[in-house]
DNA sequence: TATCATTAATGACATATATCATTAAATAAC
DNA sequence: GTTATTTAATGATATATGTCATTAATGATA
């Protein structure tokens, strides 16, 4: 991890309009002075379960996973955050320590915003509080919705989900390179690695997708959508 | 459903100390004037998916379920709220309409607090905003944690979870009457009704619990906990 | 390049879970 | 109370999914 030169000013940040649009120039200046942008290579940890919470994390670029290491040392991925997403769960506002870990699944730039400062602005700037709250509430609910969508489906539906997720939510293309291993897909959608591979092969044999290593091309997105819809 | 006489004043409400402790007497008076307490019999709907959102709901008494009706008309229970819980998901702050339905699984008293008023206080009372935010963030995260805890376990672990949940979280007793049918348990922990019944019978045969209809008595909570821990 | 380690792929098999069918018990409706 | 309807219980069976073993492919390391 390396700290990115502080060339970027929050005032010009394209993400300002997302969650920080209600801050005054002065408030934004305070954020700017205290924020740190860090660059992480694919595979690097951003923080680990148990570490104390100081910052609100904002993904500027790349892709990260939120995960938990179970008692049997298996990892379970809770969600994947994409640019413009707040990273983590809401309990950063009530907990002392992180309950989950975060690592980069693609080269990523993360903006660390001082959490106390955010809390101060929640207290002192009502419009910011409301808007900020709305934004991160949505994200939290979408994690719940996704977990349910995944777990009420069987394997084919889950694989269809993950393919549609990357194609439609992350890469905006039916031709993309998987940022995660088959094992990580398994950890994300609660199935065994072997079955992830098997179902992907099955989809390939059925002509739904083409696979070449990490490269995926979706040939028939409608049928994939139908497989997802039917579960 | 019947509207409860407005004898109770928020000022004296035992729940004031939970989420509304930072409101001034005047603010609380406004809440009090606009709030409505309603009584629902077991089985009654509080609201249905698609209805528009006007209130922040607070469970005073009883037990309610948050659920979704799937396209195949099956129901899926997302969570069960107990007294002192905020009912619903955070997106009431960003959505126009409810994404889920809520109904009473025990006779319940629900306090409907005007949502716009809450938003006003978030804007104008910083201490309230922070505290309120912390409280409902916790609830949202605990739903995510629970969904993961359930779905990473197999059937025996899930049934152990639900028994421990009612004994430890809801009734504070190892002897309680199930407020839900076997079918509802199935809808809550993602398994078939038959297998809910089967595993319960198995636990009975193994001497872990006693069952008489809806009445459950836990005989060996340690072994139940172990079954839960091992998954 | 050669070696090692990790990831991917596939088959055979074991296990977990769902589905279907049937009966009994409990509740609700009349 | 009697009848209808829902809920609970259980066995038999089908299906879905996980596990183990093996090999191939890929990527990392020296």
């Amino acid at each position: 991890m390396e700290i990115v030169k502080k060339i970027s000013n929050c005032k010009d940040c394209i993400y300002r309009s997302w969650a920080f649009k209600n801050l005054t120039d002065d408030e934004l200046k305070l954020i700017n002075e205290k924020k740190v942008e860090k660059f992480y290579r694919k595979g690097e940890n951003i923080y680990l379960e148990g570490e104390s919470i100081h910052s609100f994390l904002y993904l500027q670029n790349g892709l990260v996973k939120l995960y938990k290491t179970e008692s049997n040392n298996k990892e379970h991925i809770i969600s994947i955050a994409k640019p413009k997403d707040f990273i983590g769960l809401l309990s950063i506002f009530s907990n002392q320590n992180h309950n989950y870990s975060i690592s980069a699944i693609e080269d990523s730039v993360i903006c660390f915003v001082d959490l106390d400062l955010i809390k101060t602005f929640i207290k002192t700037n009502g419009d910011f509080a409301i808007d900020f709250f709305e934004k991160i509430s949505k994200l939290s609910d979408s994690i719940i919705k996704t977990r349910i969508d995944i777990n009420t489906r069987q394997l084919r539906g889950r694989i269809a989900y993950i393919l549609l997720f990357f194609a439609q939510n992350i890469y905006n293309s039916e031709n993309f390179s998987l940022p995660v291993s088959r094992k990580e897909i398994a950890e994300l959608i609660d199935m065994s690695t072997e079955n992830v591979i098997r179902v992907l092969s099955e989809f390939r044999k059925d002509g739904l997708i083409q696979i070449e290593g990490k490269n995926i091309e979706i040939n028939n997105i409608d049928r994939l959508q139908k497989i997802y819809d039917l579960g």
Side-chain angles (χ1 to χ4, degrees), chain A residues 89-175:
Chain A
L89 293 184
L90 296 190
S91 49
I92 62 160
F93 289 95
S94 49
N95 283 356
Q96 296 291 314
N97 301 302
H98 290 289
N99 278 326
Y100 303 94
S101 307
I102 291 188
S103 70
I105 56 178
E106 280 186 354
D107 291 357
S108 298
V109 177
I110 291 166
C111 186
F112 288 68
V113 183
D114 188 71
L115 191 57
D116 287 333
L117 205 52
I118 297 232
K119 285 186 181 172
T120 303
F121 294 151
I122 289 174
K123 275 193 194 175
T124 56
N125 182 335
D127 289 325
F128 168 73
I130 287 282
D131 188 56
F132 182 76
F133 197 20
E134 282 181 10
K135 292 292 193 312
I136 73 173
S137 294
K138 261 191 189 164
L139 209 67
S140 164
D141 272 17
S142 86
I143 291 178
I144 295 175
K145 181 176 180 334
T146 299
R147 293 310 331 165
I148 292 170
D149 284 347
I150 289 172
N151 287 309
T152 52
R153 285 175 163 78
Q154 41 193 54
L155 303 195
R156 263 157 280 269
R158 292 183 200 184
I159 293 292
Y161 162 81
I162 205 78
L163 291 170
L164 292 169
F165 170 75
F166 282 121
Q168 299 176 334
N169 274 45
I170 305 291
Y171 297 115
N172 285 309
S173 166
E174 298 181 6
N175 196 327

Side-chain angles (χ1 to χ4, degrees), chain A residues 41-221:
Chain A
R41 296 219 168 277
K42 179 174 179 140
E44 273 189 295
N45 278 308
I46 289 111
Y47 62 69
L48 291 177
E49 202 179 329
E51 289 180 14
S52 60
I53 299 173
H54 306 292
S55 306
F56 173 85
L57 270 61
Y58 198 61
L59 182 59
Q60 294 210 343
N61 229 302
L63 222 50
V64 304
K65 66 174 180 184
L66 178 71
Y67 69 98
K68 192 167 177 66
T69 307
E70 310 286 343
S71 49
N72 52 5
N73 256 337
K74 279 193 181 169
E75 287 185 2
H76 187 247
I77 300 178
I78 289 102
S79 69
I80 289 180
K82 60 174 187 292
K84 274 178 91 169
D85 279 349
F86 145 65
I87 309 173
L89 293 184
L90 296 190
S91 49
I92 62 160
F93 289 95
S94 49
N95 283 356
Q96 296 291 314
N97 301 302
H98 290 289
N99 278 326
Y100 303 94
S101 307
I102 291 188
S103 70
I105 56 178
E106 280 186 354
D107 291 357
S108 298
V109 177
I110 291 166
C111 186
F112 288 68
V113 183
D114 188 71
L115 191 57
D116 287 333
L117 205 52
I118 297 232
K119 285 186 181 172
T120 303
F121 294 151
I122 289 174
K123 275 193 194 175
T124 56
N125 182 335
D127 289 325
F128 168 73
I130 287 282
D131 188 56
F132 182 76
F133 197 20
E134 282 181 10
K135 292 292 193 312
I136 73 173
S137 294
K138 261 191 189 164
L139 209 67
S140 164
D141 272 17
S142 86
I143 291 178
I144 295 175
K145 181 176 180 334
T146 299
R147 293 310 331 165
I148 292 170
D149 284 347
I150 289 172
N151 287 309
T152 52
R153 285 175 163 78
Q154 41 193 54
L155 303 195
R156 263 157 280 269
R158 292 183 200 184
I159 293 292
Y161 162 81
I162 205 78
L163 291 170
L164 292 169
F165 170 75
F166 282 121
Q168 299 176 334
N169 274 45
I170 305 291
Y171 297 115
N172 285 309
S173 166
E174 298 181 6
N175 196 327
F176 57 87
S177 173
L178 276 177
V180 288
S181 67
R182 316 297 200 246
K183 181 157 165 284
E184 283 173 308
I185 293 179
E187 289 165 356
L188 177 58
I189 58 180
D190 292 331
M191 52 192 281
S192 69
T193 306
E194 292 93 328
N195 278 333
V196 170
I197 294 166
R198 241 185 284 271
V199 176
L200 282 173
S201 298
E202 197 183 312
F203 283 2
R204 176 172 46 71
K205 284 172 196 154
D206 291 348
L208 290 170
I209 56 175
Q210 284 169 264
I211 311 179
E212 230 169 299
K214 297 267 185 193
N215 296 317
I216 301 272
E217 180 165 359
I218 297 180
N219 293 326
N220 194 334
I221 203 156

Side-chain angles (χ1 to χ4, degrees), chain A residues 16-47:
Chain A
R16 178 184 183 180
S17 62
W18 189 72
F20 294 151
K21 68 177 175 203
N22 286 297
L23 292 182
T24 65
D25 284 356
D26 284 348
E27 287 167 339
L28 209 57
K29 201 175 155 206
L30 282 173
I31 294 257
N32 193 44
E33 280 163 5
K34 278 205 148 190
K35 75 148 200 301
V36 183
E37 286 168 275
K38 292 182 187 170
F39 174 81
Y40 293 87
R41 296 219 168 277
K42 179 174 179 140
E44 273 189 295
N45 278 308
I46 289 111
Y47 62 69

